[in-house]
Structures are given as C-alpha cells and as structure tokens.
Amino acid sequence: MNVVQAALAVGVEHAVKCSVWGASTDASIARRRDHARIENVLATSGLGYTLLRPQAFMQNNMLLYAPAIKKTGRFGSSHGSGGVAMVDVRDIAAVAAKIAAAPFEQFVTDHRAAYR
C-alpha cells in the first residue's frame, strides 16, 4: 500500500494501525477484509508495527442508545448473552500515541489468536 511504502521511504521505523476486531482475509464483512489486507502489507513490509483492534467504540453506539438510556437508564442490543467490548476512542488514541512515541519501550505481542 502506498502509505507503507512512503513510510519506509522516509525512514519510519514503526507504524501504529487502528484496525478492526475480526480483521481477516476471509471475513464475511468487506471492511474486515480490507483491514486484513493492510495488516498483511504491514506484516511483510519490514516496517515495525503495532495493530490495535478495538471491537466497538462507545461513541458510535451511545447516540443510537441515547433515547433508551434517557427513558429507562439502560440500553439493550441484539448481542444476546454475548458481550461487546466497548472502548472509548480517547483511550485507543492514548494507547496509539504512547506506542508511537516510544514503540520499542512497549511490550507488544500478538493477541489475535485469542479473538478467533
């Protein structure tokens, strides 16, 4: 991808990518396949990288749920008994900034297998 090639050309040593939960080349959702393709380019580029894969941003859902929350103090969803790991976009940004500022001081591992 052009951005990875450009980063390498100017000497970037480490990239932080905000990907998506469930990114996979065989995912049923196109956006997840698109992110997986970018992840694969990073993985084979020689560039150091960290992938952040949040499942759901609180800000995306709270506007949708605001009327129910106002009326009942609660909200429901179609997730059944399954959980959703909502995260605040500011928390993801803070983690990305910390890693970008000092990528080699962070303990980074691959947790993708735990989410499959």
Side-chain angles (χ1 to χ4, degrees), residues 33-109:
R33 291 191 305 271
D34 293 341
H35 281 277
R37 281 192 283 277
I38 297 167
E39 290 179 11
N40 289 337
V41 169
L42 276 170
T44 60
S45 70
L47 181 65
Y49 65 95
T50 300
L51 301 175
L52 302 177
R53 285 183 163 182
Q55 183 177 8
F57 292 126
M58 290 171 47
Q59 286 83 349
N60 289 346
N61 295 316
M62 289 304 104
L63 290 176
L64 174 68
Y65 298 134
I69 294 169
K70 183 176 182 179
K71 183 176 180 179
T72 67
R74 306 170 66 158
F75 69 92
S77 71
S78 61
H79 293 95
S81 62
V84 176
M86 288 192 201
V87 64
D88 192 300
V89 294
R90 294 167 293 191
D91 293 333
I92 292 295
V95 169
K98 185 173 183 178
I99 294 169
F104 303 105
E105 294 176 14
Q106 308 303 317
F107 176 76
V108 179
T109 188

Coordinates of all heavy atoms in Angstrom, one line a residue, residues 33-109:
R33 N -12.1 -7.5 5.8 CA -11.2 -8.0 4.8 C -10.2 -6.9 4.3 O -9.0 -7.1 4.2 CB -12.0 -8.5 3.6 CG -12.7 -9.8 3.8 CD -13.3 -10.5 2.6 NE -14.1 -9.6 1.7 CZ -15.4 -9.4 1.8 NH1 -16.1 -10.1 2.8 NH2 -16.0 -8.6 1.0
D34 N -10.7 -5.7 4.2 CA -9.9 -4.5 3.8 C -8.8 -4.3 4.8 O -7.6 -4.1 4.5 CB -10.7 -3.3 3.6 CG -11.6 -3.3 2.4 OD1 -11.4 -4.2 1.5 OD2 -12.6 -2.6 2.3
H35 N -9.2 -4.3 6.1 CA -8.2 -4.0 7.1 C -7.2 -5.2 7.2 O -6.0 -4.9 7.4 CB -8.9 -3.9 8.5 CG -9.4 -2.5 8.7 ND1 -8.7 -1.5 9.1 CD2 -10.7 -2.0 8.6 CE1 -9.4 -0.4 9.3 NE2 -10.6 -0.7 8.9
A36 N -7.6 -6.4 6.9 CA -6.7 -7.6 6.9 C -5.7 -7.4 5.8 O -4.5 -7.7 6.0 CB -7.5 -8.9 6.8
R37 N -6.1 -6.9 4.7 CA -5.1 -6.7 3.6 C -4.1 -5.7 3.9 O -2.9 -5.9 3.7 CB -5.9 -6.3 2.3 CG -6.6 -7.4 1.6 CD -7.0 -7.0 0.2 NE -8.2 -6.2 0.2 CZ -9.5 -6.7 0.3 NH1 -9.6 -8.0 0.3 NH2 -10.5 -5.9 0.3
I38 N -4.5 -4.6 4.6 CA -3.5 -3.6 5.1 C -2.6 -4.3 6.1 O -1.3 -4.0 6.1 CB -4.2 -2.4 5.6 CG1 -5.0 -1.7 4.5 CG2 -3.2 -1.4 6.2 CD1 -6.0 -0.7 5.0
E39 N -3.1 -5.0 7.0 CA -2.3 -5.7 8.0 C -1.3 -6.6 7.4 O -0.1 -6.6 7.8 CB -3.2 -6.5 9.0 CG -4.0 -5.6 9.9 CD -4.9 -6.5 10.8 OE1 -4.7 -7.7 10.9 OE2 -5.8 -5.9 11.5
N40 N -1.7 -7.3 6.4 CA -0.8 -8.2 5.7 C 0.4 -7.5 5.0 O 1.5 -7.9 4.9 CB -1.5 -9.1 4.7 CG -2.4 -10.1 5.4 OD1 -2.1 -10.5 6.6 ND2 -3.4 -10.6 4.7
V41 N 0.0 -6.3 4.4 CA 1.1 -5.5 3.8 C 2.1 -5.0 4.9 O 3.3 -5.1 4.7 CB 0.5 -4.2 3.1 CG1 1.5 -3.2 2.7 CG2 -0.3 -4.7 1.8
L42 N 1.6 -4.6 6.0 CA 2.5 -4.2 7.1 C 3.4 -5.4 7.5 O 4.6 -5.2 7.7 CB 1.7 -3.7 8.3 CG 1.2 -2.3 8.3 CD1 0.3 -2.0 9.4 CD2 2.4 -1.3 8.4
A43 N 2.7 -6.5 7.7 CA 3.5 -7.7 8.2 C 4.6 -8.1 7.3 O 5.6 -8.7 7.7 CB 2.5 -8.9 8.4
T44 N 4.5 -7.9 6.0 CA 5.5 -8.3 5.0 C 6.4 -7.2 4.6 O 7.3 -7.4 3.8 CB 4.9 -8.9 3.8 OG1 4.0 -8.0 3.2 CG2 4.1 -10.2 4.1
S45 N 6.2 -6.0 5.1 CA 6.9 -4.8 4.7 C 8.3 -4.6 5.3 O 9.1 -3.9 4.7 CB 6.1 -3.5 5.0 OG 6.1 -3.3 6.4
G46 N 8.6 -5.2 6.4 CA 9.8 -5.0 7.1 C 9.7 -3.8 8.1 O 10.6 -3.6 8.9
L47 N 8.6 -3.1 8.0 CA 8.4 -2.0 8.9 C 7.9 -2.5 10.3 O 7.0 -3.5 10.3 CB 7.3 -1.1 8.3 CG 6.9 0.2 9.1 CD1 8.0 1.2 9.1 CD2 5.7 0.8 8.4
G48 N 8.4 -2.0 11.4 CA 7.8 -2.4 12.7 C 6.4 -1.9 12.8 O 6.1 -0.8 12.2
Y49 N 5.5 -2.6 13.4 CA 4.1 -2.1 13.5 C 3.4 -2.7 14.7 O 3.8 -3.7 15.3 CB 3.4 -2.5 12.2 CG 3.2 -4.0 12.1 CD1 2.0 -4.6 12.5 CD2 4.2 -4.8 11.5 CE1 1.9 -6.0 12.4 CE2 4.0 -6.1 11.3 CZ 2.9 -6.7 11.8 OH 2.7 -8.1 11.7
T50 N 2.4 -2.0 15.1 CA 1.5 -2.4 16.2 C 0.1 -2.3 15.6 O -0.3 -1.3 15.1 CB 1.6 -1.5 17.4 OG1 3.0 -1.6 17.9 CG2 0.7 -2.0 18.5
L51 N -0.7 -3.3 15.8 CA -2.1 -3.3 15.4 C -3.0 -3.1 16.6 O -2.8 -3.9 17.6 CB -2.5 -4.6 14.7 CG -1.7 -5.0 13.5 CD1 -2.1 -6.4 13.0 CD2 -1.8 -4.0 12.4
L52 N -3.9 -2.2 16.6 CA -4.9 -2.0 17.6 C -6.2 -2.5 17.0 O -6.6 -2.0 15.9 CB -5.0 -0.6 18.0 CG -3.7 0.0 18.6 CD1 -3.9 1.5 18.9 CD2 -3.2 -0.7 19.8
R53 N -6.9 -3.4 17.7 CA -8.1 -3.9 17.1 C -9.3 -3.8 18.1 O -9.8 -4.7 18.6 CB -8.0 -5.4 16.8 CG -7.1 -5.7 15.6 CD -7.1 -7.2 15.4 NE -6.7 -7.5 14.0 CZ -6.6 -8.8 13.6 NH1 -6.9 -9.7 14.4 NH2 -6.2 -9.0 12.4
P54 N -9.8 -2.6 18.2 CA -10.9 -2.4 19.1 C -12.2 -3.0 18.5 O -12.3 -3.1 17.3 CB -11.1 -0.9 19.2 CG -10.5 -0.4 17.9 CD -9.3 -1.3 17.6
Q55 N -13.1 -3.5 19.4 CA -14.3 -4.2 18.9 C -15.4 -3.1 18.6 O -16.0 -3.2 17.6 CB -14.8 -5.2 20.0 CG -16.0 -5.9 19.5 CD -16.5 -7.0 20.4 OE1 -16.0 -7.1 21.5 NE2 -17.4 -7.8 20.0
A56 N -15.6 -2.2 19.5 CA -16.7 -1.3 19.3 C -16.4 0.0 20.1 O -16.0 0.0 21.2 CB -18.0 -1.9 19.9
F57 N -16.5 1.1 19.4 CA -16.3 2.4 20.0 C -17.6 2.9 20.7 O -18.7 2.9 20.1 CB -15.9 3.5 19.0 CG -14.6 3.3 18.4 CD1 -14.4 3.2 17.0 CD2 -13.5 3.1 19.2 CE1 -13.2 3.0 16.5 CE2 -12.2 2.9 18.7 CZ -12.1 2.9 17.3
M58 N -17.5 3.2 22.0 CA -18.6 3.7 22.7 C -19.3 4.9 22.0 O -20.6 4.9 22.0 CB -18.2 4.2 24.1 CG -17.8 3.0 25.0 SD -17.0 3.5 26.6 CE -18.1 4.8 27.1
Q59 N -18.6 5.8 21.5 CA -19.2 7.0 20.8 C -20.1 6.6 19.7 O -21.0 7.3 19.4 CB -18.1 7.9 20.4 CG -17.4 8.7 21.5 CD -16.3 7.9 22.2 OE1 -16.1 6.7 22.0 NE2 -15.5 8.6 23.0
N60 N -19.8 5.5 19.0 CA -20.6 5.1 17.8 C -22.0 4.6 18.3 O -23.0 4.8 17.6 CB -20.0 4.0 17.0 CG -18.8 4.5 16.2 OD1 -18.6 5.7 16.1 ND2 -18.0 3.5 15.8
N61 N -22.0 4.0 19.5 CA -23.3 3.4 19.9 C -24.1 4.3 20.8 O -25.3 4.2 20.9 CB -23.0 2.1 20.7 CG -22.4 1.1 19.8 OD1 -22.9 0.9 18.7 ND2 -21.3 0.4 20.2
M62 N -23.5 5.2 21.5 CA -24.2 6.0 22.5 C -25.3 6.9 21.9 O -26.3 7.1 22.5 CB -23.3 6.8 23.4 CG -22.5 5.9 24.4 SD -23.5 4.8 25.4 CE -23.3 3.2 24.7
L63 N -25.0 7.4 20.8 CA -26.0 8.3 20.1 C -27.2 7.4 19.7 O -28.4 7.8 19.9 CB -25.5 9.0 18.9 CG -24.5 10.1 19.2 CD1 -23.9 10.7 17.9 CD2 -25.1 11.2 20.0
L64 N -27.0 6.2 19.3 CA -28.1 5.3 18.9 C -28.9 4.9 20.2 O -30.1 4.9 20.1 CB -27.5 4.0 18.3 CG -28.4 2.9 18.0 CD1 -29.4 3.3 16.9 CD2 -27.6 1.6 17.6
Y65 N -28.2 4.7 21.3 CA -28.9 4.2 22.5 C -29.3 5.4 23.4 O -30.0 5.1 24.4 CB -27.9 3.3 23.3 CG -27.5 2.1 22.6 CD1 -26.2 1.7 22.6 CD2 -28.4 1.3 21.9 CE1 -25.8 0.5 22.0 CE2 -28.0 0.1 21.3 CZ -26.7 -0.3 21.3 OH -26.3 -1.4 20.7
A66 N -29.0 6.6 23.1 CA -29.3 7.7 24.0 C -30.8 7.8 24.3 O -31.1 8.0 25.5 CB -28.9 9.0 23.3
P67 N -31.8 7.6 23.4 CA -33.2 7.7 23.8 C -33.6 6.7 24.8 O -34.3 7.0 25.8 CB -33.9 7.5 22.5 CG -32.9 8.0 21.4 CD -31.6 7.5 21.9
A68 N -33.1 5.4 24.6 CA -33.4 4.4 25.6 C -32.8 4.6 26.9 O -33.4 4.4 28.0 CB -33.0 3.0 25.0
I69 N -31.6 5.1 26.9 CA -30.9 5.4 28.2 C -31.6 6.5 28.9 O -31.8 6.4 30.1 CB -29.4 5.7 27.9 CG1 -28.6 4.5 27.3 CG2 -28.7 6.2 29.2 CD1 -27.3 4.9 26.8
K70 N -32.0 7.5 28.2 CA -32.7 8.6 28.8 C -34.0 8.1 29.4 O -34.4 8.5 30.5 CB -33.0 9.7 27.8 CG -33.7 11.0 28.4 CD -33.8 12.0 27.4 CE -34.4 13.3 28.0 NZ -34.6 14.4 27.0
K71 N -34.7 7.3 28.7 CA -36.1 6.8 29.2 C -36.0 5.8 30.3 O -36.7 5.9 31.3 CB -36.8 6.2 28.0 CG -38.2 5.8 28.3 CD -38.9 5.3 27.1 CE -40.3 4.8 27.4 NZ -41.0 4.4 26.2
T72 N -35.0 4.9 30.2 CA -35.0 3.7 31.1 C -33.7 3.7 32.0 O -33.7 2.9 32.9 CB -35.1 2.4 30.4 OG1 -33.9 2.2 29.6 CG2 -36.4 2.4 29.5
G73 N -32.7 4.4 31.6 CA -31.5 4.3 32.3 C -30.6 3.1 31.9 O -29.6 2.7 32.5
R74 N -31.1 2.4 30.8 CA -30.4 1.2 30.4 C -30.5 1.2 28.8 O -31.1 2.0 28.2 CB -31.2 0.0 30.8 CG -31.4 -0.1 32.3 CD -32.3 -1.2 32.7 NE -31.6 -2.5 32.3 CZ -32.0 -3.6 32.9 NH1 -32.9 -3.7 33.8 NH2 -31.3 -4.7 32.5
F75 N -29.7 0.3 28.2 CA -29.9 0.0 26.8 C -29.7 -1.4 26.5 O -29.1 -2.2 27.3 CB -28.9 0.9 26.0 CG -27.4 0.4 26.1 CD1 -26.9 -0.5 25.2 CD2 -26.6 1.0 27.1 CE1 -25.6 -0.9 25.3 CE2 -25.3 0.6 27.2 CZ -24.8 -0.3 26.3
G76 N -30.3 -1.9 25.5 CA -30.3 -3.3 25.1 C -29.7 -3.4 23.7 O -29.6 -2.4 23.0
S77 N -29.3 -4.6 23.3 CA -28.8 -4.8 22.0 C -29.2 -6.2 21.5 O -29.7 -7.0 22.3 CB -27.3 -4.6 22.0 OG -26.7 -5.7 22.7
S78 N -28.8 -6.5 20.3 CA -29.2 -7.8 19.8 C -28.0 -8.8 19.9 O -27.9 -9.8 19.2 CB -29.5 -7.7 18.3 OG -28.4 -7.1 17.6
H79 N -27.1 -8.6 20.9 CA -26.0 -9.4 21.1 C -26.3 -10.7 22.0 O -25.5 -11.5 22.2 CB -24.8 -8.7 21.8 CG -24.3 -7.6 20.9 ND1 -24.7 -6.3 20.9 CD2 -23.3 -7.7 19.9 CE1 -24.0 -5.7 20.0 NE2 -23.2 -6.5 19.4
G80 N -27.6 -10.8 22.4 CA -28.0 -11.9 23.2 C -27.2 -11.9 24.5 O -27.0 -10.9 25.1
S81 N -26.7 -13.1 24.8 CA -25.9 -13.2 26.1 C -24.4 -12.9 25.8 O -23.7 -13.0 26.8 CB -26.1 -14.6 26.7 OG -25.6 -15.6 25.8
G82 N -24.1 -12.6 24.6 CA -22.7 -12.3 24.3 C -22.3 -10.9 24.7 O -23.2 -10.0 24.7
G83 N -21.1 -10.7 25.1 CA -20.6 -9.4 25.4 C -20.0 -8.6 24.3 O -19.7 -9.2 23.3
V84 N -20.0 -7.3 24.5 CA -19.3 -6.4 23.5 C -18.3 -5.6 24.3 O -18.6 -5.0 25.3 CB -20.4 -5.5 22.8 CG1 -19.7 -4.5 21.9 CG2 -21.4 -6.3 22.1
A85 N -17.1 -5.6 23.8 CA -16.0 -4.8 24.4 C -16.0 -3.4 23.9 O -15.3 -3.1 23.0 CB -14.7 -5.5 24.2
M86 N -16.8 -2.6 24.4 CA -16.9 -1.2 24.0 C -15.7 -0.4 24.6 O -15.3 -0.7 25.8 CB -18.2 -0.5 24.4 CG -19.4 -1.0 23.7 SD -20.7 0.1 24.0 CE -22.1 -0.9 23.5
V87 N -15.1 0.4 23.8 CA -14.0 1.2 24.3 C -14.2 2.7 23.8 O -14.8 2.9 22.8 CB -12.6 0.6 23.8 CG1 -12.6 0.7 22.2 CG2 -11.4 1.3 24.4
D88 N -13.7 3.6 24.6 CA -13.7 5.0 24.3 C -12.6 5.3 23.3 O -11.5 4.9 23.5 CB -13.5 5.8 25.6 CG -13.9 7.3 25.4 OD1 -13.2 7.9 24.5 OD2 -14.7 7.8 26.2
V89 N -13.0 6.0 22.3 CA -12.0 6.4 21.2 C -10.8 7.1 21.8 O -9.7 7.0 21.3 CB -12.6 7.2 20.1 CG1 -13.6 6.4 19.3 CG2 -13.2 8.5 20.5
R90 N -11.0 7.9 22.9 CA -9.9 8.6 23.5 C -8.9 7.6 24.1 O -7.7 7.9 24.2 CB -10.4 9.6 24.6 CG -11.3 10.7 23.9 CD -12.0 11.5 24.9 NE -13.1 10.6 25.5 CZ -14.0 11.1 26.3 NH1 -14.1 12.4 26.6 NH2 -14.9 10.3 26.8
D91 N -9.4 6.5 24.6 CA -8.5 5.5 25.2 C -7.6 4.9 24.1 O -6.4 4.6 24.3 CB -9.2 4.4 26.0 CG -9.9 5.0 27.2 OD1 -9.4 6.0 27.8 OD2 -10.9 4.4 27.7
I92 N -8.2 4.5 23.0 CA -7.5 4.0 21.9 C -6.4 5.0 21.4 O -5.3 4.7 21.1 CB -8.4 3.6 20.7 CG1 -9.3 2.4 21.1 CG2 -7.6 3.2 19.5 CD1 -8.5 1.1 21.4
A93 N -6.8 6.3 21.3 CA -5.9 7.3 20.8 C -4.7 7.4 21.8 O -3.6 7.6 21.4 CB -6.6 8.6 20.7
A94 N -5.0 7.3 23.1 CA -3.9 7.5 24.1 C -2.9 6.3 24.0 O -1.7 6.5 24.1 CB -4.5 7.5 25.5
V95 N -3.4 5.1 23.8 CA -2.6 4.0 23.6 C -1.7 4.1 22.3 O -0.5 3.9 22.3 CB -3.4 2.6 23.6 CG1 -2.5 1.5 23.1 CG2 -4.0 2.4 24.9
A96 N -2.4 4.5 21.2 CA -1.7 4.7 20.0 C -0.6 5.7 20.1 O 0.5 5.5 19.6 CB -2.7 5.1 18.9
A97 N -0.9 6.8 20.8 CA 0.1 7.9 21.0 C 1.3 7.4 21.8 O 2.5 7.7 21.5 CB -0.5 9.1 21.6
K98 N 1.0 6.6 22.8 CA 2.1 6.1 23.7 C 3.0 5.2 22.9 O 4.2 5.3 23.0 CB 1.5 5.4 24.9 CG 2.5 5.0 25.9 CD 1.9 4.4 27.2 CE 3.0 4.1 28.2 NZ 2.4 3.6 29.4
I99 N 2.4 4.3 22.1 CA 3.2 3.4 21.3 C 4.0 4.1 20.3 O 5.2 3.9 20.0 CB 2.3 2.3 20.7 CG1 1.8 1.4 21.8 CG2 3.1 1.4 19.7 CD1 0.7 0.5 21.4
A100 N 3.4 5.1 19.6 CA 4.0 5.8 18.5 C 5.2 6.6 19.1 O 6.2 6.8 18.4 CB 3.0 6.8 17.9
A101 N 5.1 7.2 20.3 CA 6.2 8.0 20.9 C 7.3 7.1 21.3 O 8.5 7.6 21.3 CB 5.6 8.7 22.1
A102 N 7.1 5.9 21.7 CA 8.2 5.0 22.2 C 7.9 3.5 21.9 O 7.7 2.8 22.8 CB 8.4 5.2 23.7
P103 N 7.8 3.2 20.6 CA 7.4 1.8 20.2 C 8.2 0.7 20.7 O 7.7 -0.4 21.0 CB 7.4 1.8 18.7 CG 8.3 2.9 18.3 CD 8.2 3.9 19.4
F104 N 9.5 1.0 20.9 CA 10.4 -0.1 21.3 C 10.5 -0.3 22.8 O 11.1 -1.2 23.3 CB 11.7 0.1 20.7 CG 11.6 0.1 19.2 CD1 11.8 1.3 18.5 CD2 11.3 -1.0 18.4 CE1 11.6 1.4 17.1 CE2 11.1 -0.9 17.1 CZ 11.3 0.3 16.4
E105 N 9.8 0.6 23.6 CA 9.7 0.5 25.0 C 8.5 -0.2 25.5 O 8.3 -0.6 26.6 CB 9.8 1.9 25.7 CG 11.1 2.6 25.4 CD 11.0 4.1 26.0 OE1 10.1 4.4 26.8 OE2 11.9 4.8 25.6
Q106 N 7.6 -0.5 24.6 CA 6.3 -1.1 24.9 C 6.5 -2.6 24.8 O 7.2 -3.1 23.9 CB 5.2 -0.6 24.0 CG 5.1 0.9 23.9 CD 4.8 1.5 25.2 OE1 4.0 1.0 26.0 NE2 5.5 2.6 25.5
F107 N 5.8 -3.4 25.6 CA 5.7 -4.8 25.4 C 4.6 -5.1 24.5 O 3.4 -4.8 24.8 CB 5.4 -5.5 26.8 CG 5.2 -7.0 26.6 CD1 6.3 -7.8 26.5 CD2 4.0 -7.5 26.7 CE1 6.1 -9.2 26.3 CE2 3.8 -8.9 26.5 CZ 4.9 -9.7 26.4
V108 N 4.9 -5.5 23.3 CA 3.9 -5.7 22.3 C 3.9 -7.2 21.9 O 5.0 -7.8 21.6 CB 4.2 -4.9 21.0 CG1 3.1 -5.1 19.9 CG2 4.2 -3.4 21.4
T109 N 2.7 -7.8 21.9 CA 2.6 -9.2 21.5 C 1.4 -9.3 20.6 O 0.6 -8.4 20.4 CB 2.5 -10.1 22.7 OG1 2.6 -11.5 22.3 CG2 1.2 -9.9 23.5

